Amino acid sequence: MPRAPSPTPAPLRGSRTAATPMAFVRAVVLAYERYGVDPRGALQQAQITPAELRRSEARITAAQMEALCAFAMQELDDEALGWFARKLPWGSYGMLCRASITAPTLGVALKRWCRHHRLLTDDLVLELTVDGPLATVTIDEHRRFGALREFCLVTSLRYLHGFACWAIDSRIALRDARFPFAPPPHRDVYPVLFPGPVQFDAAQAGFSFDAQDLAMPLRRDERALQSMLQRALPLTVLPYRRDRLLARRVRELLRQDAARLGTADALAQALNLSVRSLHRQLKDEGVGLQALKDEVRRDQACELLLRTARPVKQVAQAVGFDNDKSFARAFKQWTGKSPREFRNPG
């Protein structure tokens, strides 16, 4: 998927918190063993020492994991890193992205991804199902993956989820994620990779999300895809980050056109989200929609009171209140002062 890193490793250790478990690094080393290739070049590229590799409790940064996998995929010419009966040559996952990017909606894109993935291998079969308000992606295993099983299942789901979030330019909130093995010693990393409830010892691997998200249109084109594929692995190593700025985007939209975008429905449509996802993602950022509306109204009201001589009644109407009495009550709750006291503090 991504371009291989340069021969000279860039500083990687201080770029992010070291959270990726050494078990995932060892899975990459096992791929090298399968193909009879020395892994030292890949480990050096990721700045992982032999001593660290031996420490089961050791962790590396996301940047180190990206460098390791990018180097290994190209050196081994296998983007599946030894999981399947046959290699997935360099560019295989890029082909999946290209096959899906022209879909009109996320639902169609995910179905294409699952169908085309089966053309690459039937050792692992992805399936998208919808049951009422819930959409679910599951993995059927048709091969014994042995020591590579955990890394294979985790990465396969991260590939799909990461691409889906990127394609609609919005983090897709997960209802849950499930894995068919016992909780590993590094279980604490799973909520980072799959934010939301995580279940182990499940019947099969998979995750669920709001079915409404399947109707979201894709917002990327071929040019954006070409750029993304230069560094695609961050989408698989870390959750999509765009919506960590969702509250800021809501504030900007409300400031620009609060009269038209004052409802959750209108905002969700403008942000290319379902209403449920809008509320859930704002909650994840620690803020509610009503609080954002009040914040924008307060700031606009304060500016109008201080910078203009407009009567309080006109200020109230300008910020969306039906009358000056309800505006005065709200303003007092926001600032501890009445509009007139705020304008004339003396």
Side-chain angles (χ1 to χ4, degrees), residues 7-10 12 39-50 68 71:
T8 302
L12 299 174
R40 282 182 294 182
L43 294 170
Q44 289 174 359
Q45 187 69 37
Q47 301 174 12
I48 300 169
T49 67
L68 174 70
F71 193 94

Side-chain angles (χ1 to χ4, degrees), residues 111-321:
K111 288 179 180 177
R112 287 184 185 177
W113 182 287
C114 295
R115 184 171 65 252
H116 286 88
H117 191 279
R118 194 163 186 171
L119 297 177
L120 297 176
T121 178
D122 59 4
D123 291 343
L124 176 154
V125 175
L126 293 158
E127 183 179 10
L128 171 68
T129 58
V130 179
D131 183 9
L134 208 61
T136 301
V137 172
T138 54
I139 292 179
D140 286 330
E141 301 174 57
H142 296 169
R143 172 184 174 84
R144 292 186 179 277
F145 297 107
L148 297 174
R149 188 187 190 202
E150 180 192 8
F151 188 51
C152 169
L153 298 180
V154 166
T155 306
S156 295
L157 291 177
R158 283 295 310 146
Y159 278 162
L160 182 55
H161 186 247
F163 169 78
C165 294
W166 172 85
I168 65 171
D169 196 20
S170 176
R171 184 170 62 83
I172 299 169
L174 298 181
R175 292 287 195 92
D176 59 47
R178 301 171 300 282
F179 297 93
F181 43 76
H186 46 271
R187 64 175 67 89
D188 60 301
V189 78
Y190 277 76
V192 177
L193 297 173
F194 302 94
V198 176
Q199 176 188 347
F200 295 101
D201 292 316
Q204 60 185 158
F207 58 71
S208 299
F209 57 97
D210 288 342
Q212 292 181 36
D213 292 340
L214 296 174
M216 296 293 108
L218 270 61
R219 305 185 67 182
R220 306 291 190 170
D221 56 18
E222 177 65 27
R223 184 174 181 179
L225 178 62
Q226 284 295 112
S227 176
M228 182 273 283
L229 289 175
Q230 300 305 307
R231 282 197 69 220
L233 278 169
L235 293 179
T236 72
V237 176
L238 289 170
Y240 192 68
R241 297 181 63 90
R242 174 68 182 271
D243 281 347
R244 296 190 184 184
L245 302 176
L246 182 60
R248 182 185 300 174
R249 294 166 67 199
V250 169
R251 288 190 192 95
E252 291 171 354
L253 287 173
L254 289 172
R255 290 188 183 110
Q256 292 167 10
D257 196 351
R260 184 175 65 87
L261 299 173
T263 67
D265 286 335
L267 277 168
Q269 185 175 358
L271 292 163
N272 197 37
L273 293 172
S274 68
V275 173
R276 183 177 295 177
S277 292
L278 171 64
H279 285 297
R280 178 177 291 112
Q281 292 175 24
L282 285 175
K283 183 179 179 181
D284 289 344
E285 294 187 19
V287 67
L289 179 56
Q290 188 58 52
L292 291 175
K293 289 181 182 179
D294 289 343
E295 179 184 327
V296 171
R297 281 178 161 186
R298 180 200 65 206
D299 292 347
Q300 290 176 334
C302 290
E303 184 173 359
L304 289 172
L305 288 169
L306 292 176
R307 295 179 180 273
T308 75
R310 296 167 69 173
V312 171
K313 186 172 183 178
Q314 291 185 11
V315 173
Q317 292 174 342
V319 298
F321 285 85

Side-chain angles (χ1 to χ4, degrees), residues 317-330:
Q317 292 174 342
V319 298
F321 285 85
D322 294 332
N323 58 73
D324 54 343
K325 289 184 179 179
S326 58
F327 168 64
R329 285 195 299 269

